[in-house]
Amino acid sequence: MNSILKNLALIVCILAAGSSFAQVAYNGSASQNGLIQVHNSVPLQDEYKIDISSLGNVDHAYLTNFFQKYIIAFRTNATFNFDVPNKVLYLAVKKQNSIHVGNITPQSLNYFLSKVYQS
């Protein structure tokens, strides 16, 4: 019985370790000065997990104000959700939208993001 419990405990530990590796990696980042960029090396995502840790310890109101020009520019073509404790911005861009004619790619999304940033 004791060996069964040890084996069960080992399996639980292995599964727990495996689930931590299965967490979604960042597929974009935001610079300290506010430029959002997504990784070009992966296909267009339904939702991007943007690393905003470069902004330090900030609250939801600060982030909403800091990224306001993106929120306004995208209007209903994207959603911006902030996970403040984990320093993550979840960016979901509609694949069929009015900001881009034709298929959106990570490159075209980055182009649009850089134009919004420069404005």
Side-chain angles (χ1 to χ4, degrees), residues 12-51:
V12 169
C13 288
I14 291 171
L15 291 175
S19 68
S20 67
F21 291 120
Q23 292 178 356
V24 177
Y26 294 116
N27 47 19
S29 61
S31 67
Q32 243 182 340
N33 55 4
L35 175 62
I36 298 172
Q37 293 287 271
V38 301
H39 295 167
N40 286 330
S41 60
V42 295
L44 186 68
Q45 303 294 299
D46 291 329
E47 183 177 66
Y48 286 93
K49 185 177 179 183
I50 309 293
D51 179 6

Side-chain angles (χ1 to χ4, degrees), residues 61-115:
Y62 177 87
L63 291 170
T64 301
N65 185 54
F66 189 76
F67 291 112
Q68 189 65 33
K69 63 181 164 186
Y70 293 103
I71 295 167
I72 290 170
F74 277 90
R75 293 186 181 94
T76 61
N77 294 304
T79 58
F80 293 79
N81 292 308
F82 302 106
D83 178 353
V84 176
N86 293 310
K87 300 178 186 335
V88 177
L89 159 61
Y90 291 97
L91 170 61
V93 178
K94 290 182 184 175
K95 292 183 180 178
Q96 299 296 326
N97 61 59
S98 62
I99 64 169
H100 187 274
V101 177
N103 292 330
I104 296 177
T105 64
Q107 293 80 8
S108 64
L109 179 56
N110 278 334
Y111 177 79
F112 186 78
L113 289 166
S114 68
K115 289 300 179 189

